[in-house]
Amino acid sequence: MIEKSKAAEESPAPEVDVDALIVGAGFAGLLALYKLRQAGFTVLALEASESIGGVWNWNRYPGARCDVESMQYSYSFSEELQQTWEWSERYATQPEILRYIEHVADRFDLNRHIQLNTRVVSATYQAHENAWQIQTNEGQEIRARFCIMATGCLSAARMPEFPGKEKFKGDILHTGHWPKSGYDFTGKNVAVIGTGSSGIQAIPMIAKTANSLTVLQRTATYSVPARNRMLDETEKRAWKENYAQLRETARYAPSGTLYEFGERKAEETPLQDQTDEFEKRWAKGGPGFLRAFSDISSSQIANKAAGDFIRAKIADIVKDPEKRSLLTPATTLPVGSKRICVDTGYFETFNRENVDLIDIRNDPIKGIEENGLSTKKRKLDLDCIVFATGFDVIVGSLMKIDIKGLAGRTLREKWKNGPGTYLGLMVAGFPNLFLVTGPGSPSVLTNMMVSIEQHIEWITACVESMRRQGNDYIDPDEAAESKWMDDANSLAETMPFLRANSWYMASPESGSSPRRFMLYSGGVGKYREICEQVAQQNYPGFNIGARHVVCDVPAELS
Ligand code: NA7
């Protein structure tokens, strides 16, 4: 499995099994393999699943598709790839995205560096050899100079523990861990718990064939129509002919996605003009709705105007007054404080006779029984319960691995009061361990493809620069890390995020004290500039050196 690159064959025998061990073979892991191999490093990726694809391998629920347009949700590193791959729909479905990932792995001969069915259980930094000792579920041990955690932000499925779940005789499914063989809902009585992006995509599809569908909602969600459609040749050509320039613009766009950015402020726009603009965006479909005016994130008045428009649309669509009221997001919940959902017929689905809705804040789930589920007020007979309850986000898959840094300190211990990183890329005390789209980076606030490419390019350039300078050790300063996270939290103060409980927040409920915003909200472009500046200035905020220097650290740290 471990292959030597040409450059490595010419250099002295390695002291490690592999230069870079990559955990995960989704979009980030594949790109890391490609880029680091191209730079002459030996590489190996370990993937827990029996196939590649990361989140797009696990999320196979009906209706699963990306909420970033397919012409923008793809790799830009190869001109040939982006010119030859043909996307069929405006928003690609999960199967099409998975086909794309498999195509990329074949085309760039990446599979030979990937070991499937291999879960990393621990990663321990060995100071005396400046290497990461990786242990797998099969008891395999691998030593790597660098460890790249391409473990994904939305990959550890969150399964709430309702009492009696084990007694249920029907089927329990999770949207983030869907059976590969699919699932037939025809004629079944189904409950879906959760109304985030996954629930909102799955619910209309399930309703079409189920005998009955009951949706258990905790928070009413803002959603805008996707208006998905087939892409026509003219628009594909327009993208392809201008890809170089469009990708470059996206790299510096606030969320890494190109929208029609409204330059006017809603606050300064007459009411009728505001409504006309929102109508235009609603008709066009997609998350670009939130780019209608430049102040929707920064002004509470503008934000409420956007929210009011969506509330009015829900009122137009949903016929039953009780369902309508339950599906209407509260005016106290800023739109955009959670990722806005993009749907196909979600609100319309509640006009179907076979679809019911329970507000579990007022009528909480008591437990699951042999034949169904009980809330405080109701009893549901069910064949199937779908958990669309999301993920242990951003840090979840890292926390599943027993990661030990300097002096044997675990990442779980270090992050017990909330996650901290420098630039979202590294954690002080965990040398040579890189995160991809981790806490403190723009991550899920952005087009993940743009963020993944930026991270992997930065990491590759960083280790190449170290190699040129004869260095093989990098660890951020604690002070640089604290400042970065404090600044990230302050940046978010002007935005709607802090006014809502969402998984963007590390909160006392999730073990963080104080409650903090987990991501960098200054925009992908600004973030890229900061990272580039750090690299150009020879990595201030990082301790970089050669291994023998590092080995002079006090004994208690080795
Ligand atoms: P999300 O967006 O985290 O949504 C999860 C949903 O499940 C949301 O409605 C939650 O309600 C609900 N939830 C979570 N835990 C519970 C419990 N214990 N009981 C009842 N309801 C619960 O995950 P998705 O998979 O939909 O989407 C994730 C991302 O994937 C998305 O942003 C896109 O980027 C793609 P809450 O709102 O917290 O009250």
Side-chain angles (χ1 to χ4, degrees), residues 171 173 178 183-193 206-207 209-216 354 356 380-386:
D171 299 312
L173 304 172
W178 205 258
Y183 188 85
D184 184 6
F185 289 97
T186 309
K188 296 205 163 121
N189 296 314
V190 184
V192 173
I193 306 175
I206 296 172
T209 55
N211 178 53
S212 71
L213 169 62
T214 309
V215 175
L216 296 122
N354 67 335
D356 204 355
L380 306 175
D381 281 339
L382 298 169
D383 302 305
C384 175
I385 304 174
V386 176

Side-chain angles (χ1 to χ4, degrees), residues 19 70-71 84 101 136 150 191 275 286 313 334 345 354 360 374 377 415 420 433 473 494 509 543:
D19 294 327
S70 42
M71 296 307 290
T84 52
I101 294 174
T136 74
T275 310
K313 285 288 178 196
N354 67 335
I360 56 170
S374 289
K377 298 180 193 161
W415 282 3
L433 180 91
Y473 175 95
T494 56
E509 300 84 64
N543 302 303

Side-chain angles (χ1 to χ4, degrees), residues 254-270:
S255 65
T257 314
L258 295 180
Y259 298 112
E260 192 189 329
F261 294 98
E263 283 171 10
R264 290 178 297 173
K265 291 188 168 171
E267 273 197 33
E268 294 166 3
T269 306

Side-chain angles (χ1 to χ4, degrees), residues 98-115:
L98 193 55
R99 275 200 302 283
Y100 172 75
I101 294 174
E102 286 163 354
H103 168 81
V104 171
D106 285 341
R107 184 174 191 134
F108 297 98
D109 189 21
L110 300 175
N111 288 309
R112 67 193 167 97
H113 304 288
I114 303 170
Q115 190 174 310

Side-chain angles (χ1 to χ4, degrees), residues 55-56 59 61 65-67 154 158-162 174-176 193-201 216-221 333 338-341 360-361 365 387-393 444 446 448 501-504:
V55 69
W56 297 109
N59 282 248
Y61 60 85
R65 58 174 83 237
C66 188
D67 57 7
L154 301 164
R158 188 204 297 136
M159 189 63 132
E161 279 311 319
F162 295 115
H174 192 290
T175 44
I193 306 175
T195 53
S197 289
S198 306
I200 275 178
Q201 289 184 337
L216 296 122
Q217 172 190 277
R218 192 164 70 178
T219 309
T221 315
L333 180 70
K338 296 179 177 185
R339 191 167 170 132
I340 192 160
C341 295
I360 56 170
R361 283 199 197 273
I365 298 173
F387 283 78
T389 42
F391 303 89
D392 290 329
V393 292
V444 287
T446 67
M448 291 299 272
N501 284 326
S502 77
W503 48 255
Y504 293 157

Side-chain angles (χ1 to χ4, degrees), residues 420-422 424-428 430-434 474-476 481 542:
T421 65
Y422 178 41
L425 285 158
M426 295 195 79
V427 186
F430 295 79
N432 296 5
L433 180 91
F434 292 95
I474 178 165
D475 185 24
E481 179 176 293
F542 289 99

